[in-house]
Amino acid sequence: MATYVLIHAAAVDAWYWGPLAAELRERGHEVVAPDLPCEDESAGLAEYADAVVAAIGERTGQLVVVAHSFGGFTGPLVCGRLPVDLLVMLQAQVPAPGESPGAWWENTGYWADRRQADAARGVAEGAEEDVRSLVVHDTPAALAEEFIAEHQRQQSPAPFGKPWPSAAWPQVPTRFLMSSDDRFFPAAFLRRHVEERLGFRPDEMPGDHCPMLGHPKELAERLEAYRAAL
């Protein structure tokens, strides 16, 4: 049995991990999916990592950390503090030592790649898309509506202005799994980003920015395959 530690993105709570958590529990695993203090004006990345470590508590055995989107800034910090067996970056931002989350967007060339991807699907430059179109377009409608209506949160700017508080990537086996149909982090951008930052090509599966809602069974199978290969 493993303990899967699921770290959510910015401006949301941990609810969206529910379908994946159910799949993992059916396979006999324990799941920890804490809410991060994203509304706390004093909480930075160190405090986000504190919240995850506290939620893990005294659990022993195999630890698998899955970090989604902005959770990519927190997941590696947790790995630097606990004996984690595997880190899976899921459609995640990959930080660099000394880089603030606020600087990540320009540093990685995100906006140029995003404009190109938007133009390719007919979105006019400067047009604003809502969460339904940009983030959960491949999510079952009922789940998408519940996510939008009940699980969006105010995001404090506190974590975005300070450098990522780690001198190096943790010495933990790391995999990157991306959703090929995401519009928020377009596929071409993420492929390049992962190769530049982590030095390998990401694996791919179907889905939008939230594959844990739209493809929880396949995501669980992918995670289990990574774990079995350790």
Side-chain angles (χ1 to χ4, degrees), residues 5 30 39 42 48 50 58 84 120 159 161 183 199 217:
V5 181
E30 191 167 2
E39 295 171 318
S42 66
Y48 286 28
D50 288 344
E58 300 300 318
V84 172
R183 295 172 178 171
K217 182 174 182 179

Side-chain angles (χ1 to χ4, degrees), residues 42-125:
S42 66
L45 293 172
E47 287 73 28
Y48 286 28
D50 288 344
V52 178
V53 170
I56 295 169
E58 300 300 318
R59 291 175 175 84
T60 59
Q62 195 175 48
L63 282 179
V64 179
V65 171
V66 183
H68 176 239
S69 194
F70 184 58
F73 279 89
T74 300
L77 299 179
V78 174
C79 294
R81 294 172 55 178
L82 294 174
V84 172
D85 294 274
L86 174 65
L87 169 62
V88 180
M89 301 285 279
L90 176 65
Q91 207 64 10
Q93 296 172 264
V94 181
E99 177 180 67
S100 70
W104 177 91
W105 308 89
E106 290 293 342
N107 289 351
T108 60
Y110 168 80
W111 291 112
D113 282 16
R114 169 71 184 280
R115 285 192 294 269
Q116 184 175 4
D118 286 351
R121 59 188 181 88
V123 177
E125 186 169 350

Side-chain angles (χ1 to χ4, degrees), residues 13-185:
D13 60 27
W15 169 87
Y16 69 177
W17 290 116
L20 174 64
E23 291 284 345
L24 294 172
R25 290 184 177 115
E26 283 183 6
R27 291 164 169 78
H29 302 300
E30 191 167 2
V31 176
V32 175
D35 284 327
L36 302 181
C38 68
E39 295 171 318
D40 186 341
E41 296 292 338
S42 66
L45 293 172
E47 287 73 28
Y48 286 28
D50 288 344
V52 178
V53 170
I56 295 169
E58 300 300 318
R59 291 175 175 84
T60 59
Q62 195 175 48
L63 282 179
V64 179
V65 171
V66 183
H68 176 239
S69 194
F70 184 58
F73 279 89
T74 300
L77 299 179
V78 174
C79 294
R81 294 172 55 178
L82 294 174
V84 172
D85 294 274
L86 174 65
L87 169 62
V88 180
M89 301 285 279
L90 176 65
Q91 207 64 10
Q93 296 172 264
V94 181
E99 177 180 67
S100 70
W104 177 91
W105 308 89
E106 290 293 342
N107 289 351
T108 60
Y110 168 80
W111 291 112
D113 282 16
R114 169 71 184 280
R115 285 192 294 269
Q116 184 175 4
D118 286 351
R121 59 188 181 88
V123 177
E125 186 169 350
E128 292 189 10
E129 287 188 86
D130 62 15
V131 173
R132 189 176 292 100
S133 172
L134 188 60
V135 176
V136 288
H137 60 91
D138 188 50
T139 294
L143 288 177
E145 293 306 317
E146 184 172 358
F147 176 61
I148 293 166
E150 300 182 27
H151 299 283
Q152 307 293 290
R153 296 170 64 188
Q154 292 294 320
Q155 174 62 55
S156 164
F160 293 91
K162 295 182 180 180
W164 187 56
S166 181
W169 198 259
Q171 296 298 306
V172 173
T174 302
R175 305 289 183 268
F176 196 104
L177 180 58
M178 57 173 275
S179 300
S180 299
D181 305 314
D182 189 3
R183 295 172 178 171
F184 185 63
F185 286 161

